[in-house]
Amino acid sequence: MSEQKHLYLVDGSAYIFRAYHRLPPLTNIHGEPVGAVYGYTTMLWKLADDLHQADGPTHMAVVLDKSSQSFRNEIYDLYKANRPEPPEDLRPQFPMIRDATRAFSLPMIEEDNVEADDMIASYAKAACAAGWDVTIVSSDKDLMQLVEPCVDMFDTMKNERIRAEEVIGKFGVGPEKVGDVLALMGDSVDNVPGVPGVGPKTATKLIQEFGDLESVLAAAPDMKPSKMRDNLIEHADKARLSKVLVTLKEDCPLPIPIEDMKLGAIPEEPLAAFLQHHGFNSLLKRIGQVANTAAANKAIAGNPKATSKGDGAASAPVAGKAALPPAMPPIDVNAYECVTTVDRLDHWISRAMETGLVAFDTETDSLEAVTARLVGFSLAVAPGEACYVPLGHGGTDLLAENPEQIPFAEALARLKLLLVEPSILKIGQNLKYDISVLAQHGLTIAPYDDTMVMSFALDAGDHGHGMDELARLHLGHECISYKSVTGTGKSQIGFAEVPLSDATKYAAEDADVTLRLWHHLKLRLSPDKVTTVYELVDRPLVPVLSKMECTGIKVDRAVLARLSGEFAAQMESLEKEIHELAGQPFTIGSPQQLGNILFEKMGHKGGKKGKSGQYSTDVTVLEDLAGQGVEIARKVLDWRQLAKLKSTYTDSLQEQINPKTGRVHTSYSLVGAQTGRLSSTDPNLQNIPIRTEMGRQIRDAFVAEPGNVILSADYSQIELRLAAHFADVAPLRDAFEKGEDIHARTAQEMFGEVNRDTRGRAKTINFSILYGISRWGLAKRLESTPDEAQALIDAYFKRFPGISNYIQETLATVRECGHSTTLFGRKTWFPRIKSANQAERQGSERAAINAPIQGTSADIIKRAMVRMGPALEAAGLPHVKMLLQVHDELVFELPEGDVAAASKVIEAVMADAAEPLVKLTVPLGVEIGTGTSWGAAH
DNA sequence: GCACTCACG
DNA sequence: GACGTACGTGAGTGCC
C-alpha cells in the first residue's frame, strides 16, 4: 500500500502573533506570560493528532523566522522598518515556541538571511516536485501565492482550508496573480510601498483588467486622466520594487531533506516535561490517551519500565522530571540600581552571600584587557535583581574624588572580598576578560563559571556564543547594544563618558542576562554529557590563558624594523621590473588589475573564476604560469610574499608592542574554533611565518629577556598519532611505538619501497586522510589524475582498513546524533550534515571526519596547559612562564639555568596530558628546542 | 562589508 | 550530466 505523502509546513512565526492577539493573556504556574505558547502547543497537538487521518500529515516541520533581517533589507533598507517591537509580554514567548517545537520532537527550520515565508515556499516547491501534497499551516496572505493543485493552506483558527477557490474569493485573482496585486496595493505593516492610493480593491480591478503588473504599468499612460493614473506612472518603480519584495524565494537550500520530516509517534519525553514545566495540566493528562503519543504505544506494548521502581536514588534520570530552568520575571532595565554608596554595595554583597551566586561583569574603556581601565562593574544576584557600580565615570584620574561614586580603592577592597569568597560562585560571560582587567589591581576570582565557555561545550558548531546571541536564543531577549550606549564612529564616546543612568541599564542588564543564561546552560551540562570537557578542559583554562595574555612575549622592534626596510627595498625593485614586463604601471596588490594585465593585456592563458567574474590570480595560478616560464608571474609571487610579510608581520607587529611592557599581548579565544582549538587575535600569534626562509626570520624578533631563553615544545605528528589510535591501525601504531619516520613507514606499507618520491606521496596521503579525502583534491596535490589518486586511496584503505571503518563509523554517528565527539567528550555539531545541498553536505562530512582528531588534539594540549603551572611550581620552577600556544606547540620563557629541569617537566606534562581520563594506544612524542629567540628555539 | 589572498597548525 | 572538491583559523588589501 503506497501512501500519498503529505507535508505540513507550520508557519510558526506568524502563528504566535495571531495567537497572542486572539487568546487571553494566560500565565503559567511561574507567572510567565504563555498565552501564545499555549495556543501554539494546542495547535501542534491537533495537527499531529491528524496523522493517518485522510488528508492529514505524514510529514511535518515548523518554520520560524531566525532574525528580523533578510536579503530583502539589502534590496530595500526600509523593508519592515515600521514594524513595531513585539509587545513586552510576547517577547519571552519566542524561545518558548522553540521549546514547544522541540517538545513535540518536530524538525525546526530557521535560516539566516531569508524569511520563514521563503523557506516555506522552497519546501513547498520541493515537496510538490517530488509528487507530494503540501499544506501550509498559516493564513498569511503573502503565502497565498503558493497555492496550486498540490499545495493548499490551512487556517487552524478558522479551521478552514484555503485552495485556489478561496484565494480567488479573497483577491479576485488566482494564486499566480496574487503577487501582482500585493505589489500594487503595498503593505503598510511590512512597509512594502506599493502605489499610493491603490488599495486592495483597485489593485484587484487593475490586475483583472490588464493581467499583470507590467501590463498595468504599461497601460497607465493611456488611462483616462486621474490621480490614479499619475500615481501609477510616477510610482512605477515603487511597484516594481514591491513586486520583488513580495515575491517569495523558492530556491533556498533546504537544510533538512523533506524525507527526514516524517511524522511518527510523538515521544512522551520531552513533551511531558515541557507541559509539566508550564503547568499545562489538561494537556498533560491527555498524554497516553492520544493514539499518537509514544506513551499510548508503550502502554499497548506493556513496557516494563513504564512505572517507577520507587526508590530511584541511584537509577537513571526519571522521566517527566527533565530539568528546566527556573521561571524568571521579564527583563526590566529600569529596575536596576546604580550603586553610589558603600552601604548599598555592602547590601548587594550580602545578598550574594545569601544566594551563593553572583553574576559579575566589568566595564572598561577598551577591548584590550591588558591595558583597559576599569570604569565600573555590575552584579546580579537573582534574575531581575542587578546593579551597576560606577567607579571611573566622568574623569580619568582614578584617585579623584567623585561625589557620585564610591572611592575606587574602597569599592575594590569590597569587590575583592566578594570575588575570592569560596562560598559564592562567580558567573561571567567571557570571564577571561574580567580576570585580565582585574589582575591589574591584584584581584583574582574563585570559584567561577563562564557562560560563554559553557555554551561552547554544549553547542559548538550550532551557533555563536556571544551574549547578545545567547540572550536572543535562550531568553528571547534583545540586549541593549554597546553602540547604542556609546554611539559609533567619530562621535563614539568611551564607557567612562556614558551617563550613569544609561550605563546602569546596559551594564546591569549584562549581569542579569549572564545570570539567567547560567540557569539555562548549567542544567544542560550533565544531561548533555559535556561536564568533563567543561570542568576538566575548558573552564580551568580560562585563568591560564588570562595569565599568558598578560605576560605577553617580548618582541625586538629593531629586528622587525630592519626586516621591514629590507622587504621594502626588495619590493621596490620587483615593482619596477613587474611594471616593465607589463608595459605599464598598475597596482600589483589588486587582483583585479593584475588579472586584467596577465590575461587580457599580456594574453596569458588562465580562465575566469567565481561569481564575481574576476580572473583568479592566486598562488596556484601564478605558480602554473611561472612553471610555463612566464617571468612576471614569478616576480608577482615574490612581491606578494614580501607584501604579506611586511604588512601583516614586520610593520603591524611593531605597532602591537605594548609601550608599557615592551611585549606583545595576543588575545586567545576559547570559542573561536568549532573543533575546540584556540584561536588568537590582536595580533594572531598562531600564524607567524615559518615555512619559508624569508618569513622565518620574523621569528627571530620574538626574544627572551636577558638571562632567559625561549623554549619551544611541540607534539610530533599528534594528529596522525590520534588517527592511528582512533582507527586502530596496527602498522602505524607500531611505527609510532618504535619512533620510526611515519611517512616512510606509510610509503613502505603502500608502495613496498621508500624513496623520496614514495615518502612524499605517502605524506600527502596521510594528511589527506585527516581532512576527509577526495580523489580530486588528492590528485591536485599530487599533481596526478583523479584516477591515479583514487587508486592510491583504494590502496591506502585496503592496507589500513581501520581508517576506512573509522570514517564510515564517524559519519554514521554524526548523521544519527548530529554531532561528533572527541575522546574527552567534546562535541562539535554539524547541522548541515543532512543538507539536501550536496556541496554543503559533503563539506560537513569532511569537517566531521576531521573534528574528532583535531578536537582531541586540542583537548590534550589544553589539559597539558592546565597542568603545566602547578607541575612547574611543584618542581620548584616558578620562573618558567608559558607564553604562547600554537595548536601543537607551547612556547615558554625561562631562566637559562632552568632549561634542563624545565624540559623534563614540560615533556612529561605534555606526553602524559591525556592520562588518566583517556588511555591512548599510541605514545605522544614531544620535541623540545631552546634558543635566545623563537626562531632559534626551533 | 565582501572577495581575494595568504600566513599558520 | 555538470559542479567543485581537504580540515581549522585571522589579517591586510582593494573595491563597491
Side-chain angles (χ1 to χ4, degrees):
Chain A
M1 177 174 114
S2 88
E3 194 183 12
Q4 171 65 30
K5 291 176 177 162
H6 195 157
L7 173 63
Y8 271 50
L9 295 164
V10 180
D11 183 7
S13 302
Y15 185 88
I16 44 184
F17 280 98
R18 274 185 89 203
Y20 174 80
H21 293 294
R22 284 200 137 210
L23 295 167
L26 300 172
T27 53
N28 67 7
I29 49 175
H30 309 292
E32 301 166 306
V34 289
V37 176
Y38 183 78
Y40 178 77
T41 306
T42 53
M43 175 194 67
L44 287 187
W45 194 296
K46 193 173 168 321
L47 291 175
D49 219 14
D50 283 343
L51 175 65
H52 300 313
Q53 302 277 318
D55 220 20
T58 61
H59 292 68
M60 191 151 127
V62 171
V63 187
L64 296 170
D65 278 316
K66 185 157 186 186
S67 74
S68 56
Q69 293 287 305
S70 74
F71 68 91
R72 290 189 179 80
N73 298 94
E74 291 155 25
I75 300 170
Y76 182 52
D77 56 358
L78 294 176
Y79 180 67
K80 292 202 172 175
N82 285 349
R83 276 254 159 131
E85 284 290 301
E88 198 58 43
D89 56 338
L90 174 57
R91 236 186 286 169
Q93 299 192 54
F94 289 113
M96 294 186 211
I97 293 292
R98 293 195 189 88
D99 293 345
T101 311
R102 277 191 285 264
F104 278 85
S105 305
L106 289 173
M108 192 161 25
I109 309 293
E110 298 179 273
E111 293 293 291
D112 278 321
N113 204 35
V114 295
E115 294 179 61
D117 288 358
D118 301 307
M119 294 310 298
I120 290 173
S122 301
Y123 269 105
K125 282 288 157 202
C128 246
W132 296 21
D133 288 334
V134 177
T135 292
I136 298 166
V137 181
S138 176
S139 57
D140 188 331
K141 63 181 181 341
D142 295 342
L143 290 170
M144 293 185 185
Q145 301 172 66
L146 298 171
V147 169
E148 52 180 314
C150 54
V151 181
D152 66 1
M153 292 175 67
F154 182 55
D155 180 345
T156 51
M157 288 187 183
K158 294 186 185 157
N159 205 20
E160 185 172 272
R161 291 265 161 190
I162 301 166
R163 310 198 131 267
E165 195 186 324
E166 284 77 19
V167 176
I168 295 170
K170 180 175 170 67
F171 281 100
V173 297
E176 69 287 352
K177 306 272 189 206
V178 165
D180 298 86
V181 173
L182 290 171
L184 277 172
M185 62 188 254
D187 185 333
S188 59
V189 179
D190 288 351
N191 215 23
V192 173
V195 174
V198 175
K201 297 287 172 208
T202 315
T204 301
K205 209 183 78 195
L206 288 168
I207 296 299
Q208 279 173 343
E209 188 175 344
F210 296 100
D212 59 32
L213 175 66
E214 280 308 321
S215 309
V216 171
L217 296 177
D222 302 327
M223 291 177 188
K224 61 173 193 254
S226 69
K227 188 69 196 164
M228 185 185 82
R229 170 185 172 275
D230 298 345
N231 278 336
L232 281 174
I233 294 169
E234 188 185 341
H235 299 287
D237 284 345
K238 272 193 187 164
R240 292 195 181 95
L241 169 68
S242 302
K243 179 76 194 283
V244 174
L245 291 174
V246 301
T247 301
L248 300 177
K249 187 168 158 56
E250 296 178 342
D251 58 353
C252 303
L254 307 181
I256 302 176
I258 51 173
E259 291 80 12
D260 287 4
M261 296 177 166
K262 192 158 177 47
L263 181 65
I266 309 289
E268 184 177 349
E269 291 302 339
L271 181 58
F274 172 80
L275 298 174
Q276 197 162 38
H277 172 70
H278 288 293
F280 293 164
N281 291 324
S282 60
L283 295 178
L284 196 55
K285 271 190 229 151
R286 284 170 55 192
I287 287 195
Q289 297 170 10
V290 176
N292 283 319
T293 56
N297 298 344
K298 266 196 223 163
I300 296 162
N303 188 322
K305 282 187 184 166
T307 50
S308 158
K309 286 206 182 109
D311 79 53
S315 65
V318 183
K321 290 204 177 165
L324 280 166
M328 305 178 202
I331 291 174
D332 176 8
V333 296
N334 294 312
Y336 302 135
E337 175 180 340
C338 181
V339 173
T340 54
T341 66
V342 174
D343 274 359
R344 289 306 297 164
L345 177 56
D346 285 343
H347 163 81
W348 283 94
I349 291 176
S350 66
R351 280 289 291 138
M353 291 278 187
E354 288 162 28
T355 58
L357 272 187
V358 63
F360 169 76
D361 186 33
T362 54
E363 300 302 333
T364 69
D365 59 358
S366 161
L367 278 172
E368 194 188 296
V370 179
T371 48
R373 192 172 69 83
L374 184 60
V375 168
F377 63 87
S378 52
L379 305 173
V381 294
E385 203 179 324
C387 69
Y388 178 58
V389 186
L391 297 175
H393 281 258
T396 50
D397 183 358
L398 294 186
L399 300 172
E401 289 291 324
N402 186 328
E404 279 187 46
Q405 294 170 68
I406 303 173
F408 193 83
E410 210 166 328
L412 228 57
R414 282 172 157 76
L415 179 62
K416 183 173 182 173
L417 294 177
L418 176 70
L419 295 184
V420 298
E421 169 57 44
S423 65
I424 304 177
L425 177 66
K426 271 68 67 175
I427 300 161
Q429 164 77 12
N430 190 18
L431 253 189
K432 177 167 68 66
Y433 181 82
D434 307 272
I435 290 176
S436 296
V437 170
L438 292 171
Q440 294 176 39
H441 304 284
L443 270 59
T444 56
I445 305 182
Y448 63 89
D449 255 331
D450 189 323
T451 46
M452 185 175 81
V453 179
M454 289 163 95
S455 173
F456 183 66
L458 289 162
D459 297 324
D462 200 32
H463 54 71
H465 310 281
M467 195 180 70
D468 292 357
E469 186 171 351
L470 296 180
R472 212 173 292 133
L473 209 60
H474 298 300
L475 310 175
H477 176 73
E478 198 62 44
C479 290
I480 301 171
S481 75
Y482 189 76
K483 284 176 185 167
S484 76
V485 178
T486 59
T488 55
K490 256 189 165 176
S491 55
Q492 181 164 5
I493 53 174
F495 201 80
E497 278 76 54
V498 173
L500 288 188
S501 62
D502 290 348
T504 298
K505 289 190 185 91
Y506 171 85
E509 183 193 70
D510 274 8
D512 189 9
V513 164
T514 301
L515 186 70
R516 289 163 191 255
L517 288 174
W518 181 85
H519 280 297
H520 272 83
L521 301 173
K522 185 75 176 177
L523 285 173
R524 287 179 50 206
L525 289 177
S526 158
D528 285 16
K529 306 200 167 43
V530 292
T531 304
T532 297
V533 77
Y534 174 68
E535 288 293 345
L536 298 180
V537 183
D538 285 349
R539 193 179 68 84
L541 197 59
V542 170
V544 175
L545 292 177
S546 165
K547 198 170 169 189
M548 289 166 69
E549 294 175 7
C550 292
T551 305
I553 184 166
K554 185 174 181 184
V555 171
D556 186 338
R557 185 187 301 274
V559 173
L560 294 177
R562 175 177 58 78
L563 288 172
S564 276
E566 288 174 18
F567 293 161
Q570 291 179 54
M571 282 170 72
E572 204 174 325
S573 74
L574 275 172
E575 191 174 321
K576 260 191 205 147
E577 293 171 31
I578 290 166
H579 288 169
E580 232 161 75
L581 286 167
Q584 67 174 89
F586 68 101
T587 310
I588 305 171
S590 161
Q592 196 183 59
Q593 293 185 32
L594 177 64
N596 289 338
I597 295 275
L598 284 175
F599 300 113
E600 279 176 13
K601 179 151 192 244
M602 301 179 74
H604 293 301
K605 284 194 171 177
K608 281 191 192 207
K609 192 184 146 184
K611 295 161 242 173
S612 55
Q614 253 200 59
Y615 290 108
S616 170
T617 65
D618 70 14
V619 66
T620 57
V621 173
L622 294 183
E623 288 284 5
D624 196 41
L625 288 177
Q628 297 166 30
V630 177
E631 207 182 340
I632 193 171
R634 178 86 268 151
K635 291 191 190 296
V636 170
L637 281 168
D638 291 343
W639 183 91
R640 275 216 185 132
Q641 192 192 4
L642 289 162
K644 174 80 175 177
L645 294 176
K646 182 168 184 293
S647 72
T648 310
Y649 301 105
T650 57
D651 285 354
S652 64
L653 219 40
Q654 295 185 58
E655 294 161 25
Q656 301 269 8
I657 299 173
N658 184 308
K660 277 188 200 156
T661 61
R663 300 169 78 98
V664 170
H665 305 266
T666 184
S667 174
Y668 288 105
S669 172
L670 266 160
V671 302
Q674 322 215 318
T675 53
R677 273 192 179 177
L678 300 179
S679 69
S680 156
T681 57
D682 310 302
N684 182 354
L685 294 184
Q686 291 182 321
N687 71 347
I688 302 299
I690 192 168
R691 291 176 186 170
T692 67
E693 190 41 47
M694 225 192 307
R696 228 184 148 92
Q697 299 177 70
I698 292 165
R699 295 202 172 210
D700 295 336
F702 290 79
V703 296
E705 295 285 351
N708 284 22
V709 292
I710 298 289
L711 181 152
S712 158
D714 65 87
Y715 284 112
S716 146
Q717 313 281 16
I718 186 167
E719 293 198 4
L720 272 178
R721 287 173 197 254
L722 291 173
H725 168 91
F726 271 105
D728 195 22
V729 185
L732 298 184
R733 279 190 4 230
D734 180 62
F736 283 127
E737 199 69 55
K738 293 178 177 155
E740 288 176 15
D741 175 337
I742 193 64
H743 302 306
R745 177 65 177 261
T746 307
Q748 178 65 44
E749 298 284 341
M750 282 191 68
F751 306 114
E753 64 171 320
V754 183
N755 56 41
R756 215 180 148 155
D757 172 58
T758 57
R759 185 184 179 280
R761 288 204 287 169
K763 183 176 176 183
T764 301
I765 298 165
N766 272 335
F767 281 112
S768 309
I769 295 297
L770 303 180
Y771 301 146
I773 197 165
S774 83
R775 54 201 300 216
W776 295 277
L778 185 60
K780 199 165 146 194
R781 275 160 190 78
L782 289 175
E783 293 178 332
S784 72
T785 65
D787 283 349
E788 284 166 8
Q790 187 62 53
L792 285 175
I793 295 168
D794 292 344
Y796 193 95
F797 285 160
K798 196 170 173 199
R799 187 64 200 84
F800 307 127
I803 298 274
S804 178
N805 291 341
Y806 161 77
I807 291 174
Q808 291 318 316
E809 281 168 24
T810 302
L811 287 178
T813 317
V814 173
R815 284 186 199 117
E816 192 189 327
C817 309
H819 62 83
S820 66
T821 312
T822 68
L823 290 182
F824 294 79
R826 176 185 308 283
K827 293 178 179 178
T828 300
W829 292 89
F830 293 93
R832 312 245 173 254
I833 197 76
K834 288 189 176 178
S835 168
N837 176 327
Q838 176 180 289
E840 213 169 55
R841 187 176 63 249
Q842 290 177 339
S844 289
E845 287 173 356
R846 290 190 297 268
I849 292 166
N850 182 247
I853 298 171
Q854 193 180 112
T856 301
S857 161
D859 293 342
I860 289 174
I861 195 165
K862 282 174 164 179
R863 288 277 293 164
M865 294 167 73
V866 167
R867 291 168 159 188
M868 195 59 77
L872 290 166
E873 195 76 32
L877 295 162
H879 302 299
V880 181
K881 292 181 208 147
M882 186 156 63
L883 307 183
L884 303 177
Q885 188 251 43
V886 193
H887 308 310
D888 64 358
E889 174 188 12
L890 294 174
V891 179
F892 299 84
E893 180 176 10
L894 66 165
E896 250 178 309
D898 284 352
V899 167
S903 297
K904 268 193 193 165
V905 175
I906 291 167
E907 213 260 40
V909 168
M910 289 176 72
D912 298 338
E915 309 271 352
L917 285 176
V918 167
K919 182 79 198 153
L920 294 174
T921 55
V922 285
L924 292 179
V926 178
E927 290 172 354
I928 289 180
T930 56
T932 52
S933 73
W934 194 9
H938 266 284

